[in-house]
Amino acid sequence: MQIQDLPYPDPGVPDARSGPRFLWWLFRNQLDGQLKALAWGLLHFLSVSALPFCVGVAVQAVVDRSGGRLALAGGLLALCCAGNAIGETFLHRAAVTNWITAAARVQQVLARKTAQLGSALTRRVAAGEVVAVSTGDVEKIGWFVEAWSRFTAAAVTIVVVCVGLVLYQPELGTVVAVGLPVLAIAVLPLLPRATRRADLQREKAGRATELASDTVAGLRVLRGIGGEELFLDRYRSASQEVRHAAVRSARMWSLISAIQVLMPGLLLIAVVWYGVRLARQGQVSIGELVTVYSSIMILTYPLRHFEEIAMAYSFSRPSARRAARVLSLERATDTGGSRDGAEVPSGDLYDPATGLLAPSGRFTAVVCGDPDAAGRLAERLGGHPSEEGTSVLLGGVPLDELPLDSARTAILVQDKDPVLLSGTLRELLDVPGSGDVRPEDALAAAQCEDVLAALVQGSLDTEDPMDARITERGRSLSGGQRQRLALARSLITDPAVLVLDEPTSAVDSHTEARIALGVRKLRAGRTTVVFTSSPLLLDRADRVVLVHEGEVAAVGVHRELVHAEPRYRAVVTRETEEEAAETKTVRGDRPAGDRPVKASSLDEVLKELEEIEESA
């Protein structure tokens, strides 16, 4: 696998049972790249390790005044240098490829899991943790996957050099062969403590990231209540905790690095002292002593990879654990895919759990007294519920039997807090759709004229609102402006079934009245379900359904239900118990159709809405 092959056609199914299992899954899926890095690493490390032998032969040739052996040493030295250059170049290439492809695979499986879970993801995992996994954690995971092949090449090289030294000079070679394993495992007692400190640092960094994300998301509200300083102090405190944890972790790794420098130095002193004694006794030659001495000096280079792999694993293990935690999440009800290849069904949308029916081609409004229950029901209608239960039927076909992409093609759900991605307005509205709804028509139906004007006014280099840039999550816009742009984006997709959860909760009543009329006209002949308690939207619906305590309690049209159904009237008009008792006393026992209603601003707004419709 090469970098130019990314993204993967199929990243595979990750083993998310634990962090180490996830790392092992990544390693197995990049076996070709790992073998390439191992081969080039062996060429590089063995070429470097052979340099002391060439130098020793050259020194002994000068002592013995042998021109032939000196020429041979020069040829071997040139060959080793060439192998070193070629091996290091392609090792770096293979290692970077392994790093990037591993990180890309992690990001791809995370993106697929996010798309599969939908809005349920952030309710089950903190937003800061998701951000940490998809940004910094993927780099640390890729680092360990990349470092493993270099560590393996370094370990094999050390074994080969130790065997070679024992055969080349048994007395000194035995000292080196015994001393090098001691050097390799000298830092093992410190690794658990270093790992714990690294885990603590990552945990505190994740909390700080989550706090920063929440603060930025609610910055407009914080400014409104004067809470910037309070949250700034909280983030400053969290940032200092991260700094202290990072310093403690760095101290431990500095100690490990110091030991990695100290121990080879002690071994070098021991070998030189013992080698000089053997040379004075005539048991080793000057060239052999130089070879062994140089070998120890060179071996400190592959030994450093033992420290690197320990550090990479310590940092990647918590990252892999967090990634595995996200990837192990499952949908409450998953699609069986038993209807793969079949056409997407059409027809009435029906929820057996609540009894909610949205007839095909009609505008249905749903009233729930509990906003959270409305959100869960909207998700159920979209085919991706957060809780287990009976599947919603579309045209008599359970959504669970459809592939997830087919279900989402047929039904689009816009939740009460839609996200606007950064970019130009043209890019924001460039979404898959039928092509029957133009952006201009969708923007007009969503009453976005003032939004377009505001975008042009805020852009210095463009007069076309479609080329105006929208900041991250649309934070430069008001809540109502964001809602209307999100509504326009949903209208452009023109799905067979459109489910809107409180699409106008942040706009004024006059704009809401025009939106109700615009959406009704644009969605004529298409199935539309709107969760709302706004009389302006409810009055434009073909069918109004009251869902009370998880079941359909009443069905009708708005003007009938507001007179005949007290529970409906309490939700829509915000009527208190005292007002309900007063209204009941005034009405007496007359039939529902003859009962007078207390005059309110609602009647005036409805009258204004009728005037708007006539003028349109």
Side-chain angles (χ1 to χ4, degrees), residues 133-191:
V133 171
S134 59
T135 53
D137 284 340
V138 295
E139 295 185 4
K140 292 177 174 60
I141 293 172
W143 177 26
F144 174 75
V145 173
E146 171 269 326
W148 181 257
S149 56
R150 289 189 289 110
F151 162 73
T152 304
V156 172
T157 300
I158 290 175
V159 173
V160 171
V161 171
C162 288
V163 173
L165 288 177
V166 171
L167 297 177
Y168 177 72
Q169 180 25 256
E171 290 83 357
L172 293 177
T174 301
V175 176
V176 176
V178 172
L180 284 178
V182 175
L183 298 183
I185 65 175
V187 297
L188 288 182
L190 299 177
L191 290 181

Side-chain angles (χ1 to χ4, degrees), residues 336-352:
S338 58
R339 292 179 176 263
D340 274 351
E343 293 185 2
V344 177
S346 60
D348 296 343
L349 186 66
Y350 177 67
D351 178 28

Side-chain angles (χ1 to χ4, degrees), residues 447-456 465 477 480-482 484-485:
Q447 300 298 311
C448 294
E449 293 84 357
D450 63 317
V451 184
L452 301 182
L455 289 174
V456 172
L477 304 173
Q481 291 173 331
R482 289 196 298 269
R484 283 178 280 166
L485 285 181

